Amino acid sequence: MGSPRSKFYTSCAVFLGLLTSMALVLSCGGGSSTKTTSTTGTVTTSLSDPPPPNFTTEFDHVYVTITKITANVNSNAGAGDSGWQTLVDLTSSPKQVDLPSLEPGMTCLLSSLGSTTLPAGKYQQIRLYLLANNASNGPANNACSSVGGFNCVVAKDQSGNDLPPQLLLLSSEAQTGIKIPSSQITSGGLTVGAGQAVDLNITFNTASSLVHQGDGQWRLKPVLHAGEVETTNNALSGTVVDSGTHAAIEGAVVWLEQPDPSNSNMDIVMNSMETDASGNFSFCPLEAGATYDVVVTAMTGGATPVTYNATVTLGVPVGTALGNIPMVAEPLQVGTTTTTSTPANIVGQVTTTSNATAGTVAGDATAATITLTALQDAGNGKMVTIPPFTAMPESLNFTTGDSPTVDNGTSATSCPTG
């Protein structure tokens, strides 16, 4: 896979995109006892939210109210099955969190949720539960009281001014929990050793988890990532620069990826952030001893936008300072013509297989949550996921027989017959 300093640069006209995920950093907690025994270990849970990429809508506040977090050694366990262990129990006193305020930036500060003891084992599924908006009781200082719920959004207009709060609609998170499967947990699961203490990091990527529906409402569609971390500055950092001018590139999108547990030749995203004004990024805390593939894309604005080819650095151990990562710009001169180096798009249509009669209720049709991923060949059969430059519609919202709309409210291509 190459040394931390060896870089594989791949040219990519960045594809239409990927529903990223929302990442949370959690340390398991909330139990009544944290005494470790010969058959149990201690888990500490904290929560964070990475800075949003520059192509997404900016929010001043995104409030969610957490009631509990659970874990199961069975990756296929349903929410009502046996074997669930409680990591954090806030049911008697739900905790409302403003996700953008948890952005770690260049520090490793996390919002701690507590500690608890668990039976030793490898936990391959985690679920995070939110308080339903119609719950009878919630946090005393409810920031969403004006909209009649416990989860809400304060977005910004084009001038940067706060818009009125809007209720954040939930799908099944309150009833069955937001699922974090083994494919979204570092090393395929959280290993709790007998007599040992571990810290669990769950990343909640707010910017990629909010869907603006056709009716103007906001819905939470989270994809969480988790992993054991070292809270003592176990970081991976670098600086993204232009290969020609050596100038820092602000707003470059940086993804940490690892092989998919079900396909070792294909990388999936485990963490993400964008560079600061000096081109710097720093992921922390991360799992001790872990190795990541670092994928970077960038596109600058201004009078002459510049698109940079995707750059991949394979096999980077945690604790590495990569230094400068040079990005190669797409040419602005094609023959004698000056142009803008804009990214390419890939478009298509995804359909479900069941037939539904027009005018029937939406439940009669096949519902589907679709995730699209842009992949790039990094050589030797290695496929990495490439960050998109523009946010994709995250869902189609329509009643069977209606004209579908994407999350920004614009009309989508009509559904084919059946």
Side-chain angles (χ1 to χ4, degrees):
M1 303 247 308
S3 69
R5 288 285 181 175
S6 67
K7 298 178 175 65
F8 174 87
Y9 302 110
T10 180
S11 174
C12 168
V14 174
F15 308 132
L16 200 111
L18 163 66
L19 301 179
T20 356
S21 41
M22 155 180 148
L24 270 166
V25 176
L26 293 151
S27 250
C28 311
S32 58
S33 172
T34 58
K35 182 179 180 181
T36 300
T37 70
S38 59
T39 59
T40 64
T42 300
V43 182
T44 301
T45 303
S46 29
L47 175 65
S48 73
D49 183 37
N54 60 356
F55 52 74
T56 57
T57 303
E58 291 189 358
F59 301 91
D60 200 9
H61 303 284
V62 178
Y63 296 100
V64 296
T65 302
I66 300 170
T67 58
K68 66 177 178 178
I69 304 166
T70 60
N72 202 309
V73 295
N74 184 353
S75 62
N76 298 316
D81 293 343
S82 61
W84 288 98
Q85 300 291 330
T86 299
L87 304 177
V88 176
D89 187 359
L90 301 169
T91 52
S92 61
S93 182
K95 182 180 180 66
Q96 190 170 71
V97 177
D98 183 12
L99 292 172
S101 70
L102 304 178
E103 295 174 5
M106 295 300 148
T107 70
C108 291
L109 298 178
L110 306 173
S111 176
S112 178
L113 297 179
S115 299
T116 193
T117 55
L118 291 184
K122 185 172 183 176
Y123 292 83
Q124 300 182 73
Q125 187 184 162
I126 299 169
R127 289 180 184 253
L128 181 142
Y129 291 79
L130 300 180
L131 184 66
N133 283 314
N134 61 357
S136 57
N137 295 298
N141 298 319
N142 178 20
C144 303
S145 58
S146 64
V147 294
F150 298 101
N151 308 276
C152 63
V153 171
V154 178
K156 294 182 179 181
D157 61 20
Q158 293 182 346
S159 300
N161 300 314
D162 284 355
L163 296 170
Q166 285 186 271
L167 191 69
L168 181 57
L169 303 180
L170 307 180
S171 297
S172 60
E173 288 82 4
Q175 290 74 38
T176 63
I178 304 171
K179 181 179 178 180
I180 311 177
S182 58
S183 62
Q184 291 160 209
I185 305 175
T186 304
S187 301
L190 173 69
T191 300
V192 179
Q196 297 181 348
V198 296
D199 294 289
L200 178 66
N201 177 3
I202 306 174
T203 309
F204 197 118
N205 195 329
T206 305
S208 299
S209 302
L210 300 183
V211 176
H212 201 189
Q213 298 186 158
D215 57 5
Q217 294 183 295
W218 291 97
R219 181 173 293 276
L220 185 64
K221 290 272 193 174
V223 178
L224 312 185
H225 292 81
E228 182 185 346
V229 299
E230 287 283 347
T231 56
T232 55
N233 197 31
N234 224 12
L236 192 159
S237 62
T239 304
V240 180
V241 299
D242 185 291
S243 63
T245 66
H246 305 292
I249 300 176
E250 179 181 5
V253 181
V254 186
W255 283 358
L256 297 189
E257 304 183 10
Q258 289 184 324
D260 187 331
S262 62
N263 184 350
S264 60
N265 293 323
M266 183 180 297
D267 273 6
I268 55 177
V269 181
M270 304 306 297
N271 212 330
S272 65
M273 71 180 302
E274 71 170 27
T275 56
D276 65 12
S278 300
N280 297 319
F281 67 88
S282 180
F283 291 93
C284 62
L286 296 172
E287 181 186 14
T291 298
Y292 293 94
D293 297 332
V294 181
V295 182
V296 185
T297 58
M299 183 173 67
T300 61
T304 307
V306 176
T307 299
Y308 292 88
N309 294 327
T311 298
V312 182
T313 309
L314 299 175
V316 182
V318 168
T320 299
L322 284 168
N324 287 346
I325 299 178
M327 302 292 290
V328 178
E330 285 289 321
L332 295 176
Q333 191 80 23
V334 179
T336 60
T337 303
T338 300
T339 182
T340 57
S341 58
T342 54
N345 290 331
I346 294 177
V347 298
Q349 186 175 63
V350 180
T351 65
T352 55
T353 57
S354 75
N355 295 322
T357 303
T360 59
V361 296
D364 288 345
T366 299
T369 299
I370 307 298
T371 299
L372 300 179
T373 302
L375 298 175
Q376 180 77 17
D377 188 353
N380 297 322
K382 178 78 169 182
M383 302 294 290
V384 297
T385 300
I386 300 296
F389 285 133
T390 55
M392 281 194 62
E394 296 198 4
S395 66
L396 292 175
N397 303 286
F398 62 95
T399 301
T400 304
D402 292 345
S403 175
T405 58
V406 295
D407 64 350
N408 61 8
T410 60
S411 294
T413 303
S414 298
C415 285
T417 302

